Amino acid sequence: MVARVITELVIANRILAHEDVVDAYGHVSMRHPEHPDRFFLSISKAPQQVGKKDILQFDLEGNPLSKEKRPLYLERFIHGAIYEARPDVMAVVHAHAEATLPFGITDAPLRPVIHSGAFIGAEVPVWDIAAKFGERTNLLVTNMAQGRDLAATLGKNAVALMRGHGFAAAARSLIDVVRLSVYLPRNARVQMAAQQLGAVKPLSRGEIEARTSGYKPQSPETQRAWRYWAERAGCASLLRELD
Ligand SMILES: [Zn+2]
């Protein structure tokens, strides 16, 4: 079970890197399926370079469960705080994807505007670290207090934008959160382009509901996307280990 989770998480890291959701920075985690008070996350490495030996278990306060001399992600508190606040969430992504950033620094709301963007949900709140922690932070989420404040802004939503920084995405499975994170910047780019042309019509609540309620992580359609992204990212042999 643990070996399978670790392999899937390595694949998720490589997919997010290959799809330009993360670069040298950004990370993806998964809650432990048998111990909900733990999650799996890499040590501090670029996601493209993450391997199985880099994945550690953490408690929900961001402490590694085993002694570790290698450096850890400074922003691992994002993950712990979201798992703490949201028992339904099984996987979390934090990234700095450029296309999402304009929507975090203006009053133009990011909305789902394409069918594959439905999973970002009807509302995408913006978290401003300065609102509670003042004007002298380095913008990074470096402790649990900041992580919990971000999780409170996320609320029951799937994504929160982080002002001048990036986004945090939460979902009920690893495939869900990868899919959501791949389509979030694409949706943002389409919305930006459309706004040059005129008024934008986002998806209706009914359309969002119809897309998300019919979605199944293990369906052939979803698995097709996962395998496509994984093979493009050079993970064909890792996929075979899971078959
Ligand atoms: Zn960050």
Side-chain angles (χ1 to χ4, degrees):
M1 168 67 87
V2 166
R4 188 175 181 89
V5 168
I6 288 174
T7 303
E8 289 177 343
L9 198 50
V10 169
I11 293 172
N13 272 276
R14 306 266 178 89
I15 289 174
L16 292 171
H18 195 264
E19 299 297 323
D20 283 332
V21 180
V22 295
D23 48 22
Y25 303 98
H27 17 90
V28 53
S29 69
M30 190 172 161
R31 194 196 291 270
H32 196 304
E34 291 168 347
H35 300 280
D37 57 345
R38 302 181 197 168
F39 65 93
F40 294 91
L41 178 72
S42 171
I43 59 159
S44 181
K45 262 197 172 181
Q48 173 72 52
Q49 288 151 2
V50 165
K52 293 180 189 177
K53 290 192 170 67
D54 301 319
I55 307 284
L56 305 182
Q57 293 189 39
F58 293 84
D59 67 23
L60 298 192
E61 303 237 318
N63 305 303
L65 296 189
S66 52
K67 278 213 165 108
E68 183 56 57
K69 289 186 176 156
R70 296 172 294 176
L72 306 176
Y73 288 131
L74 296 175
E75 295 194 283
R76 59 191 182 277
F77 308 100
I78 293 171
H79 302 262
I82 292 174
Y83 290 126
E84 180 185 77
R86 289 277 302 274
D88 60 309
V89 165
M90 291 302 290
V92 171
V93 165
H94 167 59
H96 307 147
E98 191 176 315
T100 66
L101 297 178
F103 296 95
I105 55 177
T106 58
D107 56 8
L110 180 63
R111 292 287 178 261
V113 294
I114 53 177
H115 80 293
S116 48
F119 305 101
I120 72 178
E123 305 287 336
V124 182
V126 177
W127 179 68
D128 182 357
I129 194 170
K132 186 162 183 185
F133 299 96
E135 305 285 341
R136 297 183 66 85
T137 73
N138 63 3
L139 290 160
L140 304 183
V141 177
T142 54
N143 58 52
M144 280 305 287
Q146 292 170 343
R148 286 175 177 136
D149 195 47
L150 167 61
T153 296
L154 175 68
K156 291 184 171 8
N157 298 290
V159 183
L161 300 179
M162 302 158 73
R163 185 206 30 106
H165 178 177
F167 72 86
R172 59 197 163 167
S173 76
L174 189 63
I175 293 182
D176 278 13
V177 87
V178 167
R179 181 187 170 105
L180 166 59
S181 302
V182 166
Y183 284 115
L184 178 70
R186 295 182 188 181
N187 185 97
R189 279 193 287 274
V190 171
Q191 187 176 340
M192 282 284 283
Q195 283 169 349
Q196 318 287 316
L197 302 176
V200 170
K201 180 174 183 177
L203 303 192
S204 69
R205 283 190 180 266
E207 288 166 339
I208 295 166
E209 173 76 25
R211 289 283 303 163
T212 51
S213 65
Y215 174 65
K216 295 185 181 66
Q218 298 307 323
S219 72
E221 293 77 17
T222 306
Q223 290 294 321
R224 185 172 93 190
W226 176 259
R227 297 191 76 88
Y228 167 73
W229 286 324
E231 288 193 16
R232 265 162 59 100
C235 296
S237 63
L238 287 174
L239 278 179
R240 279 196 293 277
E241 288 177 27
L242 297 174
D243 284 342

